[in-house]
Amino acid sequence: MKVKLFLLMAVAVALFLFPLEGGSLRAQESTDVHGRVVNGTEGEEIPEDLSVLMLVTAANGRLAGTGQTAPDAQGRFVFEDVQIEEGSSYTFSVDNQGVFYGMSLGVAGLAEDLVVTVFETTRDASIIRVDQHVMVVVALNKDDQLASVLEFVSFSNPTDRTLFPDLTKLDQISFLRFALPPDPAELTVESDLPGGDIVSIGTGFAVTSPVAPGDHTMNFSYTVPYEGESIAYRQSLVQGADLFQVWVPESIPDVAVPGLDEIDPITVEGTDYRVYQGRDFPPGQGLQLEITGLPTPGVWSRFSGTVTGGAFWQIAIPSALGATLAAMLLWGMIRGYRPVTAGIESDTVVLAVDPAERAAVVRAVAALDQRYQDGNVAEDEYRAQRPGLMARVLDPGSDQAAEEALGEQGE
């Protein structure tokens, strides 16, 4: 009898507690998210037939909700009853004329009215301004006469229109172009621009990504063969450059760039570089670039594995924004906000990578390569650190591994 009474009490307690737990879940905090779409191009109205897409990612990386709504004639929009969970990220985006614009926010950012700015487009690439273009001689292989090179470019679109590439009209330059030395290989391109492709054009490559108003960065690495003791080619600087520099490690004493002015050396991540530079290059003027004093067989020690491999002309630009918007297109077809059921997973989504952080990681990769070439880093340690650094740019979700790699370099 006592056993039966105990079981009945246990069942009663369970039935009493269960509704409380379920009620807590149903009463999860939610809010209405308000915002508006504005046209950032002077004198232009808000485009018709726009859709605002929302993607909610939980703190654990799971897809927590999606939504789609249409703004009114004044550009105002609202997502109703959006679940609030600390640590979640909320990404909002609008497709205007084939270009995505958006933002990624934490919970605190939802309290304010959101503003998503879209722009009209142009196909005039002359609007692009290159602030700084740096070419780093990372490492040299004297046996194969092969140079490993890393270039990073900071540029901006100072207008109120987005550059929208059109590769069908070769008589008008409507896309970013960059020159390369003869016979490059293993090209890898990284950028904060929305996803695009790399296309072989002339002696270099073009980027098919749209360029919205604002500041941007790009870096690319490759290997290039050389004959004798020099590399010489036409560095066209299609977009021009306020400042063009070549960095050469001090550990390679004979290498020089005679066509540019040598300035005071700099130190980056513990590596000393000689710096050669020129200023105020108009678009298309460029320079005849020559790097001399390169080592020949019997003079320099061999190195290996300094540039990430890949198909040369068939590499899409990695872009966290592109991945975000692709996910939105997949899930945003559902009208209105809809929480996602358990079991559906998604990669953590970030709208863009901080340009300063990207530049720091690029320099850290160059410094690591140089330390490996100099014999200051063991091969197993080198191969363990470099992927983490590259992942910092390619995959913002891998920050922990990258930070460990950066920390080990600083020791």
Side-chain angles (χ1 to χ4, degrees):
M1 185 68 178
K2 292 182 177 180
V3 174
K4 289 184 178 180
L5 180 60
F6 175 78
L7 291 175
L8 289 174
M9 292 177 61
V11 170
V13 171
L15 291 175
F16 178 76
L17 292 177
F18 181 77
L20 289 179
E21 182 179 4
S24 176
L25 291 175
R26 288 193 297 270
Q28 184 178 22
E29 183 181 359
S30 64
T31 187
D32 292 347
V33 178
H34 296 266
R36 60 192 177 100
V37 179
V38 299
N39 195 328
T41 302
E42 185 178 0
E44 298 292 341
E45 301 294 331
I46 300 172
E48 298 180 356
D49 301 326
L50 294 180
S51 290
V52 183
L53 305 178
M54 177 180 66
L55 183 68
V56 183
T57 306
N60 61 5
R62 292 178 180 272
L63 183 65
T66 64
Q68 178 177 354
T69 188
D72 62 19
Q74 287 72 45
R76 296 187 297 263
F77 64 87
V78 60
F79 289 96
E80 298 179 346
D81 296 326
V82 178
Q83 292 182 358
I84 300 301
E85 182 178 349
E86 198 63 36
S88 294
S89 64
Y90 302 80
T91 304
F92 302 86
S93 180
V94 176
D95 176 6
N96 180 42
Q97 301 180 30
V99 182
F100 281 94
Y101 305 90
M103 63 181 65
S104 185
L105 305 169
V107 171
L110 301 180
E112 301 178 1
D113 285 344
L114 310 181
V115 178
V116 180
T117 304
V118 301
F119 300 92
E120 302 300 308
T121 61
T122 179
R123 286 177 164 77
D124 181 10
S126 66
I127 64 174
I128 301 301
R129 175 177 176 176
V130 174
D131 303 307
Q132 185 176 21
H133 186 148
V134 177
M135 178 180 184
V136 183
V137 178
V138 176
L140 299 169
N141 180 337
K142 61 93 180 178
D143 292 328
D144 294 335
Q145 291 194 286
L146 193 68
S148 173
V149 179
L150 176 65
E151 301 190 32
F152 52 95
V153 185
S154 59
F155 58 97
S156 63
N157 176 352
T159 73
D160 61 358
R161 290 179 177 268
T162 295
L163 175 64
F164 192 81
D166 183 357
L167 297 179
T168 64
K169 297 180 179 179
L170 297 181
D171 58 332
Q172 179 184 14
I173 298 177
S174 62
F175 40 81
L176 299 181
R177 296 202 313 178
F178 299 93
L180 294 171
D183 303 318
E186 299 183 333
L187 176 69
T188 299
V189 180
E190 300 164 2
S191 176
D192 63 355
L193 297 175
D197 294 320
I198 305 303
V199 181
S200 173
I201 291 186
T203 58
F205 66 92
V207 179
T208 66
S209 300
V211 184
D215 298 327
H216 304 279
T217 61
M218 176 175 294
N219 63 76
F220 47 97
S221 60
Y222 54 88
T223 59
V224 59
Y226 62 90
E227 296 182 0
E229 299 181 352
S230 66
I231 296 174
Y233 70 103
R234 179 69 182 173
Q235 172 55 271
S236 58
L237 298 176
V238 180
Q239 289 81 217
D242 291 347
L243 177 65
F244 177 80
Q245 294 181 326
V246 179
W247 296 1
V248 180
E250 291 281 14
S251 57
I252 311 178
D254 298 325
V255 175
V257 187
L260 298 174
D261 299 326
E262 184 172 3
I263 63 173
D264 294 338
I266 62 172
T267 301
V268 178
E269 297 292 331
T271 300
D272 298 327
Y273 293 90
R274 295 190 304 282
V275 179
Y276 303 85
Q277 72 175 28
R279 290 184 175 275
D280 301 326
F281 293 94
Q285 174 177 305
L287 71 156
Q288 185 64 31
L289 184 62
E290 184 177 15
I291 303 174
T292 63
L294 302 177
T296 55
V299 177
W300 210 255
S301 60
R302 185 178 180 85
F303 76 95
S304 62
T306 58
V307 179
T308 302
F312 184 60
W313 297 122
Q314 300 176 351
I315 303 175
I317 299 176
S319 171
L321 177 59
T324 298
L325 300 180
M328 287 180 173
L329 288 176
L330 177 63
W331 292 100
M333 300 305 295
I334 306 172
R335 292 284 179 178
Y337 173 72
R338 176 180 175 183
V340 176
T341 57
I344 300 178
E345 298 185 2
S346 171
D347 293 334
T348 301
V349 186
V350 181
L351 186 67
V353 181
D354 181 66
E357 179 185 14
R358 179 183 296 275
V361 174
V362 169
R363 291 191 292 270
V365 171
L368 177 62
D369 287 344
Q370 183 60 45
R371 292 174 61 208
Y372 173 65
Q373 179 197 353
D374 294 341
N376 295 326
V377 177
E379 182 171 353
D380 56 345
E381 182 182 357
Y382 170 80
R383 295 190 181 280
Q385 290 187 31
R386 197 176 198 280
L389 288 172
M390 298 302 291
R392 183 65 172 267
V393 180
L394 294 172
D395 181 9
S398 61
D399 282 356
Q400 182 176 358
E403 287 172 359
E404 291 175 357
L406 282 167
E408 291 175 3
Q409 283 200 80
E411 295 176 355

